[in-house]
Amino acid sequence: MRMVVAFCFTLYFAFFCHAQSVLLNKNDSLALESRFKADIVLSQFDSIPGKRMLYSHLDRDYYIIIQQDNCYKEYFVIVDNNGRFLFINEIENDKELELLQKNKFLFRKNKARLKHIVGSRLILKKAFNTDQYSKGFITSMPNASYIAGIPSYFVIKDEYNQRYGEFSLSSMISPCPIDPLLWLYLNRQLSEIVYARDNHGHY
């Protein structure tokens, strides 16, 4: 009887390990596909010098930030399922910031907007410090306490194309693999633009 129990346990353990291996291989395959698509999107910005950050949902909607000294160029990109570019638009937060700072008299709404942009610049300045990131590619977080949302992908690439903080995970996960304030900013920017597109037909 003990032999049968031991055999069944061994069989179950082998099956469990195989299932986990298949799941990890599938996750890694999808993650590498996200990386490949993201690299194609980033290649459209090769003429712009500086470190670059990319965040995406579903390998379709991309938010890209390029750091140039203390300035940040931000872009929203849409691709179709075949990787064809459908839309590229610059989000001119730096220009808006400059205009708001020049205006001596601001309404409450504009004051709030100015505060938001200034705060986001502080978040991005900290985020582009690559010393805080690992160089590994995170494709799973077995010890996560919460996992939900849609597939997302994140990476920072320096001037030498070295990757930092790269992950391919659900868009809502705890603990957050990057600074929660950065995660909040990226998701808010991307979600607001996608909402405007889907509900109002503009960006």
Side-chain angles (χ1 to χ4, degrees), residues 35-199:
R35 171 192 276 183
F36 176 75
K37 292 178 179 178
D39 283 349
I40 292 174
V41 172
L42 280 176
S43 69
Q44 300 298 306
F45 302 90
D46 283 347
S47 61
I48 306 175
K51 294 178 183 176
R52 55 212 57 226
M53 176 188 301
L54 177 146
Y55 182 69
S56 72
H57 285 167
L58 299 169
D59 296 332
R60 182 188 66 191
D61 300 313
Y62 293 84
Y63 201 79
I64 295 159
I65 307 173
I66 301 175
Q67 182 191 47
Q68 295 182 317
D69 297 323
N70 292 320
C71 296
Y72 301 91
K73 291 182 174 293
E74 300 178 65
Y75 300 89
F76 174 60
V77 178
I78 306 172
V79 300
D80 66 14
N81 293 331
N82 296 316
R84 290 188 294 260
F85 286 81
L86 301 178
F87 186 81
I88 300 176
N89 186 43
E90 184 173 359
I91 311 300
E92 299 183 330
N93 285 327
D94 271 0
K95 289 183 180 179
E96 185 180 358
L97 175 61
E98 187 179 348
L99 290 173
L100 289 171
Q101 287 176 330
K102 284 180 179 179
N103 197 330
K104 294 181 180 180
F105 303 100
L106 294 173
F107 292 107
R108 182 180 299 177
K109 181 180 179 180
N110 288 336
K111 285 182 180 178
R113 179 61 181 164
L114 174 60
K115 183 178 179 180
H116 170 72
I117 297 177
V118 169
S120 71
R121 268 47 208 150
L122 295 176
I123 293 170
L124 294 180
K125 182 177 181 181
K126 178 183 176 183
F128 273 98
N129 176 13
T130 54
D131 293 337
Q132 66 187 299
Y133 299 103
S134 68
K135 293 183 180 180
F137 190 2
I138 301 173
T139 61
S140 66
M141 291 181 65
N143 297 321
S145 59
Y146 180 78
I147 301 175
I150 57 178
S152 69
Y153 173 84
F154 172 89
V155 71
I156 290 179
K157 297 176 80 172
D158 65 16
E159 299 88 339
Y160 306 102
N161 230 27
Q162 179 67 56
R163 301 172 191 270
Y164 298 89
E166 185 178 25
F167 68 76
S168 179
L169 300 165
S170 293
S171 57
M172 292 184 285
I173 191 164
S174 181
C176 193
I178 56 176
D179 180 358
L181 291 177
L182 173 63
W183 174 87
L184 186 63
Y185 177 75
L186 293 171
N187 275 288
R188 179 178 176 179
Q189 292 292 105
L190 200 52
S191 297
E192 285 181 354
I193 297 171
V194 170
Y195 179 83
R197 176 195 69 193
D198 293 345
N199 292 277

